[in-house]
Structures are given as C-alpha cells and as structure tokens.
Amino acid sequence: MPLGERGGWERTESRYCGVETDFSNDVTHLLNFNISTGGFDYILAPLVDPSYRPSLVEGNGVDTQVLPVSGSDLVLSPSQWSSHVVGKVSSWIDLDSEDEVLRMDSETTLKQEIAWATHLSLQACLLPTPKGKSCANYARCVNQILQGLTTLQLWLRVPLVKSDGDSMDDTSEGLNDSWELWNSFRLLCEHDSKLSVALDVLSTLPSETSLGRWMGESVRAAILSTDAFLTNARGYPCLSKRHQKLIAGFFDHAAQVVISGKPVHNLQKSLDSNTEGTAKNPLRIYLDYVAFLFQKMEALPEQERIELGYRDFLQAPLQPLMDNLEAQTYETFERDSVKYIQYQRAVEKALVDRVPDEKASELTTVCLMVVGAGRGPLVRASLQAAEETDRKLKVYAVEKNPNAVVTLHNLVKMEGWEGIVTIISCDMRFWSAPEQADILVSELLGSFGDNELSPECLDGAQRFLKPDGISIPSSYTSFIQPVTASKLYNDVRAHKDLAHFETAYVVKLHSVAKLAPSQSVFTFTHPNFSTKANNQRYKKLQFNLPSDAGSALVHGFAGYFDSVLYKDVHLGIEPTTATPNMFSWFPIFFPLRKPVEVHPGTPLEVHFWRCCGSSKVWYEWSVSSPTPSPMHNTNGRSYWVGL
C-alpha cells in the first residue's frame, strides 16, 4: 500500500516505499513476505544469481548460455513484475577493471540483465555504484543500452557523500564528493532522461547546502540504510532531524524510499508471529516509521494543489501587446486578490499625497488613468481606494483589446460608474488624452519585470501624465540566480533544436536547486522624463557558490522581479521579498545550451542584455566564466516580444 493518503494530496501524489532484498530463486515467496506480509510496495531485488560469471559457464558461447535468473517470467503476472519489482543489476560488475576477464564478464552480464529486465517489463533497474573514479567504459556501455530502451528507467546507485575535510564514512570508498561521480556518469551518457540517480542515505549526512544540490537532479529513490536510524526512548527506530528533513524533501520531489540492510532494532514483540501465524517482516518497523514521516508532512495549501500540474512545466511567456488575451487568462489573473489589495493600498497612499487631509473637503477631483485596464480589476481597486480615503476620483480606463472593452462597458453599467469612469478603446501609446492625469496605474509587469514591455508602454503613456504626476508602479527590478534544473534542461533538449534553448520560459519551479542568492539585473523607473531615455540594458553579474556546497551543474537561470508600486507598497516574486500568497506570476527560466560546471571558489560570470529594435524587444545572455558559453538568442533570432 502507498505510504498513506493525507489531506490535500491527490492519490497519484502519494509516495511508495520499497525494500532491498538478497537474491532468491523463489520470487513469489519474496513478494509475499515483503509485500503481502511486510507491507512494502515493491522489492528491489537481484534478477540474476550473484555467483554467475559468463566466463565460467561451460558451453559453446554466450548465445547458448541459460541465464541463472531468479525465476521464470511466468512465476509472476506481467503487472506484478511491472508494479512490484525493481531489478537490481549484479553488484560485482566492474566495467573499468584492469582485469580484462572481469571487465568482459561485467559488460556481458550488464547487457544480459538489462535485456531480461526489459523482457519482464520492469519499470526500473538499479545499476551498481561505479567502482573507481574512472567510469568511462561503464558509462559507454550504459549509454549504448540507453539508446535501445523505451520505457525502462535506469537508476545509478550513488552514496550520499561529501567530505568537508573530516573523516569520511566507511562506505564511501574514498569518495570525496559523490555528486562528482554522478555528474561524470551523466555527462558521459549525454544527459539521457532515462538515466536517474538513487542515493544511498547513510548515517552521516553532508552539509545542508551540499544536500540542496540534489533537489535539482533527477533523484528517483533514496535508499535508506537501517544503520542510518537512531533509537527512540521506546526502543523503536527513528531518524535524526536532518535525516527527517532530507526524506521530507525527497517526498516533496517525488522520490521513493527504499529500506536497505539488516534489522538493527531487536524488538521481540514486533517480530512475533502475527494473527495468521506467519512470521512478521523484521523491517516492517522501519517502513512504519517512514510512513509516519510521510503522513505528518503538512498538507499542500489549496493554491499549491491547483498549481501541481504546472510544476516544472515550461510555458511560453504572454505577448499581451502583440496578442489579445483570452477571457480565461483574464479570469486567472483576476482571482489573485492579494495583487489588487496591494494596488489598492498604493492608490490610497497616492490619493492622500495628491489631496492632503486638509484639502479633502474642497471637492478636488483627482484624474486617474488605468492604462491596460483589461476587464476592470484595477478600475475597481482604484475606486475602492477613493472610497476608503474619501477622495473624489475621475477614471479613464484605456484598453486596446476590443473584447475586454465589451466587458468594461458592461461592468460600468452594472456598477453604476457612468459618471465616473470613461472607457477608451485604444492602444495607450497612440491615444490623445483630453487632459493630463494625476495618477497613472498599470499592471503590465511580466515574470522578469520588463519582459511584457512595461517600459515601452509606459514611456508612450507618460506624455499624458502631469509633470508632478505619480506612476503606479513607480519602479521595478529584475533578478536572476543560477540553478540546477535537470528536468527543465531535458524538457528543452527534447525539442532537438536551437530555438528552444534560446527561449525564456515561464515555469513554476519545483525540482530545482538554487545555487546562489539572486542578484538584480535591470531597473526601470516611471515616470522617466529624461530626453535620453533608453530601454536597452546590459549587466554583468558574478555568482559564487557557498564553499561547503561542492561543485554543481548550472542548467540555466531563474528570473524574478520586484516592484515598488508606490512608496513602501511593493509587489514581487523575488524569493527573499516575495509577496505572500500571490500567484499571478511564476518565475522565468533562461536555459543554457550547454550546462556549465561550477566549483566553489571559482566565480560564475554571466552577461545579460535587453535589446530593442523597431518592432521587437529581446534578451541575449551568455556565460563567460568558468567556461565560456555561446551567445544565446543573437538578434532575437529565436525569442522576442513584439512591439
């Protein structure tokens, strides 16, 4: 059974727990003991007798050998093989051995075992940890196999080790940083999406920042050693706070847990026969604890549940200037009450500054223009601000989308705003206003701040703002940070063309490791009455990985924005200052054609440009250090925003 349904999670979002077993000729008994009796969801089991060596088998050649498998494919149904068995390739294989016989035996066995796993329709197979620092031949052979696979996933077993100069865990086999091992193997296998990692979680853990790197990698399973468990006051197994946090993180990133090892907690009562008289699985107490950890995780908030389907899903950014938005898009944005509360607060402060309390009784009418009014949420927020502050308001609602204008006219009639709101069906850049505005309100911000052409639109609209007029927003700044995002990289790569690597995507980041704090890129201020106003920008940035993090692979950059609406009222998605409970914007993702490996102490130097042409605006980006990357999106050849 799954680890338990809990409030706020879909059934498909439950997690599963397997158990690592030794080789057995009786797979049926193995399944009954560990699944029917033990309660585990699947077994991680060797498919072939570990004593098997092709070179020791008598016969006329490899083709005539009968593989000593754990059982015929007929002993279980196809659905049982597929749902309840993850294959485990023989752990003795060493394809990079100096011993040629061992090397050849290893290659033959690996290919035979994967072929058998494919025949059984298994969903996944666990590959043993590479034996030495060099794994080129092992990776070459696995890469050959990957080319022929369709559904079978391969999990490379890697111990979760990162030395901080102290003594290393005994099982790390002299490994300094196991991420380096995984990265070498993954690069040699050309980032194949059918290759993932299964981490051996040991009794000691690397630093928090070092562990964080793995959240952006394709971790499919955490193999939890019984030696990693502590003992609570009642004698039952439990995990340290750090181990608990790590396992919760793996659950949140859709990784499964596998219990491995011999029982080290001798609880006689729990090992007694159960009511049916069959022996209880001695590892059941570890499963129960893992299930407890899963069930005590906090339920996802409603908005997070709604957004589950958008996690790590690449979307093209909107082109609101070039295209007219659809009703469904307006509907989504209008549900974000937090955003409009912030706008209302900003308008309230602007109205009070425009008409101080001592002049509020003089019937002064403030002229406010909503440019890009959509279906009217900013008009409503502005009128509510006027009501709250007891100020008199005259509103112009300017909107270029003729379909949204129909909704605006109906809204004005329904709310009785005829004498207050004037609707203008026109592009704000080309409208001739009958008077100048005291306050100019807009919601033209994109995930990267300026990526939906807010600067160009507001530059065109500010001519009908009084010289001392107020713009809401008054400024906005874009931010980027380097990320490991294996899934996003593979999704972009799957298109097999240059254009998708030179496109910025809106995406709800989830399986991502943020490698360094974000830094500001471009800032725009409004109104900008400078005669030398220019919306082209260039910024060089330098990021440094934390010294205890270890090396990491940068697949691209996550982008955010922060905006000052007016004075101390702000709006944004930059992680350290993000407006709580706001969902109108997901971050933006700028991919790299070739991921860049970065080491602590070696800065990552990045360049970003915002380029402007007569009919479009686009971004270009590149990395210059530690290794130069190609220039991305030259002349906006792949991705641009149309004027």
Side-chain angles (χ1 to χ4, degrees):
M1 291 174 62
L3 290 177
E5 311 307 331
R6 54 194 181 83
W9 281 69
E10 298 292 332
R11 183 173 179 81
T12 54
E13 286 296 313
S14 189
R15 300 292 175 260
Y16 299 90
C17 187
V19 60
E20 185 173 12
T21 70
D22 293 329
F23 176 79
S24 170
N25 287 307
D26 191 349
V27 184
T28 309
H29 170 72
L30 209 57
L31 238 58
N32 286 335
F33 182 64
N34 289 291
I35 295 175
S36 304
T37 308
F40 289 95
D41 298 302
Y42 60 91
I43 58 171
L44 178 61
L47 299 175
V48 173
D49 190 323
S51 65
Y52 167 68
R53 300 291 186 277
S55 60
L56 300 179
V57 177
E58 293 182 9
N60 298 324
V62 172
D63 295 338
T64 62
Q65 296 170 8
V66 177
L67 203 61
V69 295
S70 54
S72 161
D73 51 352
L74 300 175
V75 298
L76 300 178
S77 69
S79 64
Q80 284 180 307
W81 280 115
S82 178
S83 303
H84 297 308
V85 180
V86 170
K88 182 179 163 189
V89 173
S90 296
S91 57
W92 60 263
I93 70 165
D94 184 1
L95 280 93
D96 291 277
S97 170
E98 297 291 326
D99 183 330
E100 187 176 357
V101 174
L102 174 57
R103 192 168 67 245
M104 297 305 293
D105 271 358
S106 298
E107 182 167 341
T108 302
T109 303
L110 175 62
K111 290 181 176 177
Q112 288 176 327
E113 293 191 23
I114 297 297
W116 180 242
T118 305
H119 173 72
L120 296 174
S121 301
L122 301 191
Q123 291 189 43
C125 226
L126 182 74
L127 301 174
T129 309
K131 296 290 188 290
K133 290 188 176 179
S134 171
C135 57
N137 193 48
Y138 188 7
R140 176 196 67 86
C141 190
V142 168
N143 201 32
Q144 285 181 345
I145 292 167
L146 287 165
Q147 308 311 306
L149 297 181
T150 50
T151 57
L152 182 69
Q153 294 280 319
L154 299 184
W155 300 351
L156 182 69
R157 188 171 197 157
V158 173
L160 186 52
V161 173
K162 162 71 172 69
S163 169
D164 295 319
D166 302 328
S167 59
M168 290 175 288
D169 198 289
D170 293 338
T171 55
S172 64
E173 296 180 6
L175 209 55
N176 181 43
D177 183 359
S178 56
W179 180 88
E180 302 267 10
L181 181 65
W182 157 245
N183 189 49
S184 298
F185 204 93
R186 172 251 309 272
L187 291 174
L188 288 164
C189 291
E190 307 173 277
H191 293 271
D192 197 296
S193 59
K194 296 185 290 296
L195 177 68
S196 305
V197 64
L199 290 172
D200 262 320
V201 180
L202 309 170
S203 56
T204 56
L205 291 177
S207 70
E208 205 74 27
T209 45
S210 175
L211 290 174
R213 296 174 299 171
W214 291 103
M215 296 305 161
E217 300 288 3
S218 55
V219 179
R220 289 289 172 270
I223 303 174
L224 192 52
S225 168
T226 52
D227 291 333
F229 285 83
L230 306 174
T231 306
N232 67 14
R234 295 174 57 216
Y236 282 86
C238 62
L239 290 171
S240 71
K241 294 288 186 188
R242 291 194 63 216
H243 279 82
Q244 289 181 42
K245 185 178 177 182
L246 178 66
I247 296 302
F250 285 140
F251 281 147
D252 191 39
H253 286 74
Q256 313 298 344
V257 171
V258 177
I259 301 296
S260 171
K262 303 295 181 190
V264 292
H265 293 75
N266 186 19
L267 294 166
Q268 194 55 46
K269 284 184 181 178
S270 72
L271 300 183
D272 286 344
S273 295
N274 60 21
T275 52
E276 284 80 24
T278 54
K280 190 169 182 180
N281 192 308
L283 295 177
R284 178 63 189 252
I285 52 173
Y286 300 96
L287 167 64
D288 290 342
Y289 181 77
V290 170
F292 161 73
L293 288 184
F294 179 73
Q295 289 158 13
K296 80 168 189 173
M297 286 173 67
E298 287 185 17
L300 289 174
E302 183 185 358
Q303 188 56 41
E304 278 290 321
R305 289 207 311 276
I306 293 169
E307 294 171 1
L308 273 176
Y310 293 100
R311 283 181 172 181
D312 299 319
F313 178 73
L314 300 170
Q315 302 176 78
L318 294 172
Q319 295 257 13
L321 198 57
M322 200 164 70
D323 305 330
N324 288 326
L325 300 183
E326 297 174 355
Q328 190 175 358
T329 307
Y330 283 122
E331 177 79 24
T332 301
F333 293 142
E334 288 163 8
R335 280 193 294 108
D336 195 344
S337 59
V338 172
K339 173 174 64 175
Y340 295 112
I341 288 169
Q342 291 298 88
Y343 266 100
Q344 183 179 327
R345 286 184 59 221
V347 174
E348 285 173 9
K349 286 177 180 279
L351 286 171
V352 170
D353 283 356
R354 207 70 191 163
V355 183
D357 288 339
E358 58 270 18
K359 294 184 180 180
S361 59
E362 295 178 10
L363 300 178
T364 305
T365 301
V366 175
C367 179
L368 181 145
M369 293 180 181
V370 177
V371 289
R375 302 196 308 182
L378 283 184
V379 174
R380 186 185 296 278
S382 299
L383 291 173
Q384 285 174 338
E387 191 177 330
E388 289 289 328
T389 55
D390 201 20
R391 301 303 193 265
K392 197 173 179 186
L393 204 57
K394 177 182 184 180
V395 177
Y396 288 91
V398 186
E399 176 54 49
K400 74 170 182 63
N401 183 350
N403 303 308
V405 168
V406 173
T407 312
L408 276 173
H409 277 290
N410 288 326
L411 181 68
V412 168
K413 284 180 186 174
M414 188 174 69
E415 297 288 351
W417 294 341
E418 285 92 340
I420 307 167
V421 178
T422 304
I423 298 168
I424 309 295
S425 182
C426 183
D427 188 319
M428 70 184 78
R429 295 171 296 171
F430 311 123
W431 178 48
S432 297
E435 60 181 306
Q436 287 194 304
D438 296 286
I439 303 172
L440 194 66
V441 184
S442 64
E443 53 170 332
L444 305 166
L445 299 170
S447 298
F448 202 49
D450 58 81
N451 64 301
E452 292 184 11
L453 304 186
S454 180
E456 285 69 25
C457 292
L458 293 181
D459 285 353
Q462 73 180 19
R463 68 186 185 282
F464 41 74
L465 184 66
K466 290 177 181 177
D468 63 341
I470 296 167
S471 173
I472 297 175
S474 60
S475 69
Y476 39 89
T477 301
S478 53
F479 293 80
I480 64 162
Q481 71 180 149
V483 293
T484 293
S486 181
K487 183 186 184 303
L488 297 183
Y489 174 78
N490 276 330
D491 287 351
V492 175
R493 185 170 166 268
H495 291 282
K496 298 181 179 177
D497 63 16
L498 174 66
H500 283 83
F501 272 116
E502 297 191 331
T503 298
Y505 300 91
V506 172
V507 58
K508 176 155 178 72
L509 301 174
H510 184 65
S511 295
V512 164
K514 297 169 181 177
L515 302 174
S518 67
Q519 294 184 29
S520 61
V521 191
F522 309 133
T523 297
F524 291 88
T525 305
H526 301 286
N528 179 12
F529 293 115
S530 167
T531 54
K532 296 180 179 178
N534 183 353
N535 291 329
Q536 297 209 137
R537 296 285 191 277
Y538 164 61
K539 188 73 175 279
K540 179 172 79 172
L541 299 155
Q542 207 172 75
F543 295 94
N544 289 286
L545 269 63
S547 57
D548 62 340
S551 303
L553 200 64
V554 178
H555 291 107
F557 300 91
Y560 318 96
F561 80 91
D562 188 76
S563 167
V564 176
L565 293 181
Y566 185 64
K567 290 193 169 175
D568 63 342
V569 183
H570 98 104
L571 198 69
I573 60 169
E574 195 281 319
T576 59
T577 60
T579 308
N581 304 316
M582 188 176 67
F583 57 83
S584 281
W585 294 275
F586 291 153
I588 202 163
F589 175 64
F590 294 91
L592 288 173
R593 283 157 61 183
K594 185 180 179 185
V596 175
E597 187 174 349
V598 183
H599 307 281
T602 306
L604 173 68
E605 196 167 88
V606 189
H607 304 261
F608 262 77
W609 292 263
R610 186 183 197 268
C611 308
C612 303
S614 58
S615 61
K616 65 182 183 181
V617 173
W618 69 95
Y619 300 102
E620 297 180 13
W621 62 96
S622 74
V623 170
S624 58
S625 175
T627 51
S629 75
M631 191 64 64
H632 291 68
N633 200 34
T634 302
N635 288 329
R637 63 189 171 194
S638 301
Y639 160 68
W640 71 92
V641 190
L643 285 164

